[in-house]
Amino acid sequence: MQLTDAERAMRDGDGGEAVAAAMDLLIRYGEALGADRLVKTDNVAGAFNASTPSIRPIAERGMEEVFSKLNLDSDKTVEIPHMAARTCQLITGLDDQNWALQGADPQLVEMQRKNEAFIGRRGINLFATCTPYQVGNVPTFGEHCAWMESSAVIYCNGALGGRTNVEGKESAGAAALTGRIPYWGYHLTENRYGTRRIRVDVPVETMMDWGLLGYFTGEMVEEAVPVIEGQVSGVDLIRLKHFGASAASSGGVEMYHVPGHTPEARSAEEAFGPNRAEEDFTYDATARKRMYEMLQSATDRKVDFIMLGCPHNSIEQVGRIAHMLDGKRLHPDVVLWVHTPRAIREVAVRSGYVGLIEAAGGTVMSDTCPAISRRIPAGTRVIATDSAKQAHYLPAIAKVQGWFGSLEACISAGLTGQWTGDF
Ligand code: F3S
């Protein structure tokens, strides 16, 4: 690993013990990956929170120890200085306002608040969402980032043209303290070109369509870089967010191109660069139906819990849900949680959307999601969601049955208590 003078100085302790530990971690990590140098980053999105019961014994000894252990993988507790890079907190396990509805213990909430005060003082912006790009962290084209969370990473690479691999808690912590990350994987131009082609032979337009296409793409290409060509339309933040989250769930996709729409693919030629498609896959009506069926893990049509907002909803999505629920009332046996970043929730309160959702009997939650918190309403047996990612993970995590469908189908189930689907 070649180091600059500044990096060597950090390793040798010029920035203090925490920075030295961080640099040591990055060097070992980079060497294991085969990176020959580090790259500067001023954009880190990581997980620095203390919101799980297993952290409590460490947190009781102090937040320096939590950061040292969890974000630097250090057995020695070191003093944590202000972050060197612009850094934000991703999703956490608790909604700071609605934690009682989640069934969380007040002591855990107190621990999370103490931890947030600690990391906030050290320059970590508490966005508390898996969609930092919706609330102020929008990487510039080609910007080197160190992000965690698969749906955020694929959005950063594919939709925005930022450059990141999927980092872990430790490498993100080390990057935040040093402003460096190993230069490998999707930081390198040659790894960002397409290697597989998805031919879309059925119209893909709605958010559900894009989620299903993403699920197919991940299943087919696994960790390769797909180029999506054919009958796609309506490309926007919401659709790309769902496409990416879904592709990163059924496969390990971290980068993709939609020629004419995504920033590194003004054409299919540009998307593939020097590569040729090693394989072509056709997404047609049969494949679409197969994906839809794969995402249904329920048989019981009596629904208890509707989860909307995976990845976290945009303000337009919250507004749409509010409009659909305006003047209506959820079925008394159904709980509806709408998830959105806290900053967007503030706008939704001011816009009257939260009031409309609450008047219908729903709750707008922030900071967390059921798959990450592993908390769902007590007694839930059957869930319904408009997110392919949540339908992929939550039934296994929470040991429940799951329905996947459009937002309209989910709202309808919320009002009637029955899943009818809409395929
Ligand atoms: Fe975000 Fe949770 Fe979905 S982290 S992408 S809402 S599983």
Side-chain angles (χ1 to χ4, degrees):
M1 170 78 69
Q2 294 183 357
L3 300 179
T4 63
D5 289 347
E7 289 159 1
R8 223 171 282 120
M10 284 192 254
R11 180 199 61 191
D12 295 342
D14 281 13
E17 277 190 307
V19 172
M23 188 50 77
D24 175 60
L25 184 152
L26 290 174
I27 293 168
R28 286 184 286 119
Y29 174 51
E31 284 175 349
L33 294 165
D36 56 10
R37 70 177 177 92
L38 304 173
V39 66
K40 284 189 179 177
T41 178
D42 193 25
N43 192 330
V44 179
F48 305 94
N49 55 302
S51 58
T52 53
S54 60
I55 295 174
R56 188 174 290 166
I58 310 174
E60 279 166 4
R61 294 196 292 270
M63 295 306 166
E64 302 273 2
E65 186 162 334
V66 173
F67 197 110
S68 300
K69 273 211 174 357
L70 268 54
N71 296 110
L72 287 177
D73 192 29
S74 166
D75 287 336
K76 186 173 174 199
T77 301
V78 288
E79 191 181 331
I80 306 300
H82 198 278
M83 300 302 121
R86 197 159 48 101
T87 301
C88 69
Q89 166 69 48
L90 289 166
I91 197 154
T92 78
L94 295 174
D95 179 328
D96 188 58
Q97 286 175 9
N98 289 303
W99 53 268
L101 281 180
Q102 289 185 280
D105 159 3
Q107 286 178 341
L108 203 59
V109 180
E110 196 42 43
M111 186 172 94
Q112 168 144 311
R113 287 185 183 153
K114 272 192 193 150
N115 183 259
E116 289 187 352
F118 175 85
I119 60 177
R121 266 203 313 281
R122 283 153 185 80
I124 296 175
N125 299 317
L126 288 153
F127 287 170
T129 175
C130 50
T131 60
Y133 50 86
Q134 294 196 121
V135 291
N137 185 349
V138 185
T140 51
F141 184 75
E143 182 174 358
H144 292 287
C145 305
W147 282 22
M148 292 174 62
E149 214 290 304
S150 63
S151 77
V153 164
I154 190 172
Y155 196 89
C156 177
N157 281 321
L160 299 174
R163 296 185 173 209
T164 184
N165 296 303
V166 179
E167 297 301 340
K169 270 186 176 178
E170 300 83 355
S171 57
L177 283 169
T178 59
R180 302 290 193 282
I181 196 74
Y183 186 59
W184 74 289
Y186 291 111
H187 290 285
L188 279 69
T189 302
E190 62 262 36
N191 295 332
R192 299 175 65 84
Y193 293 117
T195 54
R196 305 285 188 279
R197 179 182 283 109
I198 304 286
R199 290 185 194 279
V200 181
D201 276 358
V202 63
V204 168
E205 189 189 348
T206 64
M207 189 185 104
M208 183 172 103
D209 290 338
W210 278 92
L212 290 169
L213 174 62
Y215 210 64
F216 175 81
T217 300
E219 202 198 38
M220 292 299 126
V221 312
E222 298 176 349
E223 293 178 356
V225 179
V227 177
I228 313 296
E229 295 184 84
Q231 299 181 46
V232 296
S233 61
V235 180
D236 63 6
L237 180 150
I238 297 167
R239 292 173 175 89
L240 292 183
K241 190 173 61 166
H242 275 270
F243 169 80
S246 186
S249 306
S250 56
V253 183
E254 296 173 25
M255 171 69 189
Y256 66 90
H257 302 279
V258 186
H261 297 286
T262 51
E264 291 169 56
R266 281 167 294 183
S267 63
E269 292 68 39
E270 190 175 54
F272 282 109
N275 296 342
R276 292 163 67 98
E278 290 168 29
E279 271 179 293
D280 278 23
F281 301 98
T282 300
Y283 180 72
D284 55 15
T286 309
R288 182 178 188 271
K289 187 159 190 293
R290 190 167 68 82
M291 292 304 113
Y292 183 82
E293 284 166 358
M294 277 174 71
L295 285 164
Q296 315 301 336
S297 62
T299 50
D300 188 343
R301 293 190 175 270
K302 187 178 177 315
V303 171
D304 310 300
F305 173 45
I306 315 281
M307 188 282 170
L308 305 173
C310 166
H312 274 179
N313 278 313
S314 68
I315 186 66
E316 291 78 14
Q317 290 175 289
V318 180
R320 191 155 166 243
I321 294 163
H323 176 69
M324 292 166 82
L325 289 174
D326 189 359
K328 305 198 169 94
R329 188 79 202 154
L330 290 170
H331 188 279
D333 296 342
V334 176
V335 174
L336 169 81
W337 287 354
V338 177
H339 293 262
T340 192
R342 185 157 299 279
I344 290 180
R345 190 182 188 283
E346 287 298 312
V347 180
V349 168
R350 196 169 176 181
S351 306
Y353 304 154
V354 171
L356 290 174
I357 292 168
E358 287 179 350
T363 302
V364 179
M365 300 191 96
S366 293
D367 310 335
T368 189
C369 81
I372 292 291
S373 67
R374 298 175 178 248
R375 294 174 189 277
I376 57 174
T380 298
R381 290 178 51 253
V382 183
I383 67 154
T385 179
D386 61 348
S387 162
K389 177 172 178 176
Q390 200 72 201
H392 178 86
Y393 287 116
L394 194 56
I397 289 173
K399 310 272 182 293
V400 292
Q401 299 182 35
W403 293 108
F404 163 78
S406 67
L407 174 61
E408 290 74 10
C410 290
I411 295 290
S412 167
L415 297 172
T416 63
Q418 290 290 316
W419 181 258
T420 51
D422 55 357
F423 191 77

